[in-house]
Amino acid sequence: MTGATLLMVSLASTVIISTSLVEPTDEDGRRTRDRVISDRINHDLRYATQIDATGSYSVSVERPDLGNQSQTLVYEAYLNGLTRSVSGGESTQLDPAAPSVNLHVDGYTAPTAGLQTMRPRIRAVSTAVTGGWSSSSLTIDLPDGARPGDLLLLAVVSRNAFFVSASPSGWQDLDYRFNTGILLELYGQWMTASTPGTYTLNYFWGGDLAVAMLAIEHANSSWPFGWAGASSGTSVAGVASTYPRPLENTATIGERTLNLQFIASTRAPTPQTSLGIASFTDCVNRVGSPGTTGECSLGIASRTGPMPSLTTTPHVLHQQSASWVTIAVEVEGDDE
């Protein structure tokens, strides 16, 4: 009897050990089930010809069956858990609970997918200036490399000119600022396949102009402008605090925002080597009607994102007294 008892105890222990190996724990079972479901989905997607995920609780996959006939598979996660049906047939329950998505990579939570804002950039620039002789028009070319979908900005600085207008039409007035003897105007439009290769600026009674056209890629197609500001003043030679300074709105500018600064001046106070604005990149630095009484200057500088913290306020370098106006524009990016 003693021997039989020991034999039964040993047999029971063996059955318990064997059962624990054959029937895994709940966690192990869940992982096995997840692998089976994942393999099933991957197999369906491997030969998919179309996927429709527009349903609130379901995803449909079209693929050829073994007879090369079109077959529609529907995965649904709702009241009955995760189910799969084939071409309208009876649904098969893959999991009694609807799955919750929690992506991990090497033990770390993966970032969720979402729209990213693309950084707008200046693709190309063209410029044109008057030579100081009496004329009533000035032609500017479309920037080389500009493409349909680009945002086109036209900046016009004028002196002694009345009513400057661009032909062909299509430009939208965005902003303008004037000071003693100087006027800065900013226009915009979207480039299309029918955008002409040149524009003519017409004006009356002679006049002096400095003009630039920017082609900007990845600008927000709904409304590209986040903020705009303007300023004006008079530079006093040797007094840096009177020179134009870049403007920005710290409440609206983002890391991918294109910060554009348009500067118009009487005379030619800025050296042609650089506008001299710390943390900004020169884009345009041109003089209209140089060496004449109608001399005028156009400067454009840009940077991406907000200005860094600097020990001194950045200014445009002016080497002589001049009247000036500035327009600052923030261009926002489109979603990719």
Side-chain angles (χ1 to χ4, degrees):
M1 290 294 291
T2 301
T5 301
L6 292 173
L7 180 61
M8 291 297 292
V9 171
S10 298
L11 181 60
S13 299
T14 303
V15 170
I16 292 173
I17 294 172
S18 299
T19 302
S20 67
L21 292 175
V22 174
E23 298 180 2
T25 63
D26 290 343
E27 178 66 17
D28 291 336
R30 182 186 63 79
R31 290 180 178 176
T32 300
R33 183 176 65 249
D34 290 347
R35 283 196 296 270
V36 172
I37 295 173
S38 178
D39 290 343
R40 177 74 272 173
I41 294 174
N42 287 333
H43 178 78
D44 290 341
L45 293 178
R46 181 178 182 183
Y47 300 103
T49 57
Q50 182 174 336
I51 300 174
D52 184 359
T54 57
S56 300
Y57 307 101
S58 63
V59 175
S60 64
V61 178
E62 290 190 14
R63 70 166 199 182
D65 61 11
L66 295 178
N68 203 31
Q69 300 298 312
S70 179
Q71 185 180 65
T72 301
L73 312 172
V74 177
Y75 285 88
E76 185 176 51
Y78 196 47
L79 298 178
N80 295 327
L82 178 64
T83 62
R84 176 180 180 271
S85 63
V86 180
S87 296
E90 185 177 354
S91 296
T92 301
Q93 188 184 64
L94 302 179
D95 195 323
S100 60
V101 179
N102 187 14
L103 301 177
H104 290 79
V105 177
D106 297 335
Y108 295 92
T109 301
T112 56
L115 292 176
Q116 298 294 321
T117 302
M118 303 180 74
R119 187 181 71 176
R121 298 182 298 182
I122 299 174
R123 188 195 299 276
V125 181
S126 64
T127 62
V129 296
T130 53
W133 52 83
S134 179
S135 62
S136 58
S137 66
L138 178 66
T139 299
I140 184 170
D141 294 330
L142 191 71
D144 287 339
R147 301 175 185 174
D150 285 352
L151 172 65
L152 300 179
L153 296 180
L154 179 66
V156 180
V157 175
S158 60
R159 293 189 71 183
N160 308 316
F162 179 72
F163 191 70
V164 180
S165 63
S167 178
S169 60
W171 294 98
Q172 301 295 315
D173 294 336
L174 299 178
D175 205 346
Y176 71 94
R177 286 295 184 272
F178 61 88
N179 198 353
T180 304
I182 195 74
L183 173 64
L184 172 60
E185 299 172 278
L186 187 62
Y187 305 88
Q189 68 168 301
W190 295 105
M191 182 178 171
T192 67
S194 59
T195 299
T198 60
Y199 282 90
T200 300
L201 301 174
N202 299 299
Y203 48 93
F204 297 110
W205 302 337
D208 308 283
L209 275 67
V211 186
M213 191 186 303
L214 310 183
I216 300 173
E217 62 177 338
H218 301 320
N220 189 284
S221 55
S222 297
W223 181 250
F225 306 112
W227 175 86
S231 183
S232 63
T234 301
S235 293
V236 178
V239 184
S241 60
T242 64
Y243 305 162
R245 64 180 181 84
L247 307 175
E248 74 172 14
N249 186 348
T250 56
T252 60
I253 193 167
E255 292 297 327
R256 293 174 177 265
T257 302
L258 178 62
N259 185 341
L260 292 173
Q261 305 290 324
F262 300 85
I263 307 104
S265 306
T266 58
R267 309 176 65 185
T270 302
Q272 293 302 292
T273 54
S274 174
L275 295 173
I277 313 176
S279 81
F280 281 80
T281 300
D282 288 1
C283 177
V284 172
N285 190 1
R286 295 297 308 272
V287 177
S289 301
T292 70
T293 56
E295 194 173 48
C296 55
S297 302
L298 171 61
I300 303 176
S302 69
R303 65 166 291 112
T304 299
M307 288 186 288
S309 178
L310 300 173
T311 56
T312 58
T313 302
H315 287 85
V316 179
L317 178 57
H318 273 188
Q319 296 178 322
Q320 55 181 295
S321 299
S323 296
W324 55 264
V325 293
T326 63
I327 296 176
V329 175
E330 294 176 2
V331 178
E332 304 298 340
D334 212 348
D335 292 330
E336 60 183 349

